Amino acid sequence: MPQVSVRGKLIEHAETVFRRQGFNGASVADITHAAGVPKGSFYNHFKSKQELAAEIVRRYSRGRDVSMLAAEGLSAVERLRAHFAAQASRTVSTGVEYGCLLMTMASEGPTVGDEVGTVVCRSIAAWVGELAPVIEEGQRSGEITSREPASDLAAFLIDAFEGAALRGKATRDESAAMRSLDLALNAIRA
């Protein structure tokens, strides 16, 4: 069995530390302790906590399941719902009380630094870009309202989902995000 590199251990364990403690609450010592590596080894692999956090956000965003957005035989609204259901399952599987890593980083705003903030913004923009073509398809078929641009509706769905996920994080309500998403999907129907 191949041995995981120190860098790999840091990346593997940092996501959990950041999700549970937030960027500002997590120290390099917390991350190295969770990874089971010496604190001094951190700087052999990352120049800063921000660099590691940016890598974690990129990794987290690459792990977003977009397969349902292309599922055949489903309407645009059904594909959007299935996509968000997969995201909700991902959060539940890692602890709804800790929420979505992307939104954890986004909620800490400017204190995460420019490098992390830029990656968070790009990740959210990419998510909007993944949803917008499905919404456009639904608009062309008459299933989704054409009164608003598809990219605005995509951002609205993310906002509804993630805002409720934040509430679910506070209340430990695993179904909050999907209930809010269903309301939002009903609101954008034609």
Side-chain angles (χ1 to χ4, degrees):
M1 180 140 221
Q3 193 172 23
V4 178
S5 70
V6 170
R7 179 182 171 84
K9 287 180 182 179
L10 289 167
I11 290 170
E12 179 183 336
H13 293 280
E15 180 177 328
T16 301
V17 173
F18 284 134
R19 285 184 74 242
R20 291 181 178 202
Q21 297 175 220
F23 177 82
N24 291 310
S27 68
V28 169
D30 294 330
I31 295 164
T32 56
H33 177 32
V37 300
K39 184 177 177 186
S41 66
F42 180 90
Y43 294 101
N44 293 331
H45 302 281
F46 299 98
K47 66 181 183 230
S48 65
K49 185 172 79 165
Q50 290 83 2
E51 182 183 31
L52 173 59
E55 177 61 29
I56 297 302
V57 171
R58 280 191 289 275
R59 178 179 179 247
Y60 184 83
S61 295
R62 284 190 305 266
R64 186 171 42 246
D65 183 358
V66 296
S67 63
M68 290 300 184
L69 295 176
E72 293 185 27
L74 298 177
S75 71
V77 168
E78 290 168 333
R79 285 183 281 148
L80 290 165
R81 188 177 194 294
H83 167 74
F84 280 101
Q87 303 322 301
S89 292
R90 181 183 188 192
T91 300
V92 168
S93 73
T94 56
V96 71
E97 67 273 21
Y98 304 117
C100 165
L101 176 74
L102 185 60
M103 291 308 125
T104 295
M105 294 297 189
S107 70
E108 294 194 48
T111 61
V112 298
D114 290 341
E115 185 174 5
V116 179
T118 298
V119 173
V120 167
C121 286
R122 286 180 182 157
S123 295
I124 293 169
W127 197 2
V128 168
E130 293 160 357
L131 299 177
V134 178
I135 293 170
E136 288 171 349
E137 184 182 321
Q139 288 174 320
R140 285 191 300 276
S141 73
E143 180 185 10
I144 295 174
T145 182
S146 299
R147 290 188 306 267
E148 303 296 335
S151 60
D152 288 351
L153 293 176
F156 169 66
L157 292 177
I158 292 168
D159 294 348
F161 179 79
E162 290 293 353
L166 182 59
R167 181 172 43 81
K169 177 180 177 177
T171 62
R172 296 182 186 228
D173 180 353
E174 293 181 2
S175 63
M178 288 307 294
R179 286 195 318 272
S180 182
L181 178 76
D182 285 337
L183 290 169
L185 286 172
N186 286 335
I188 70 168
R189 288 182 192 263

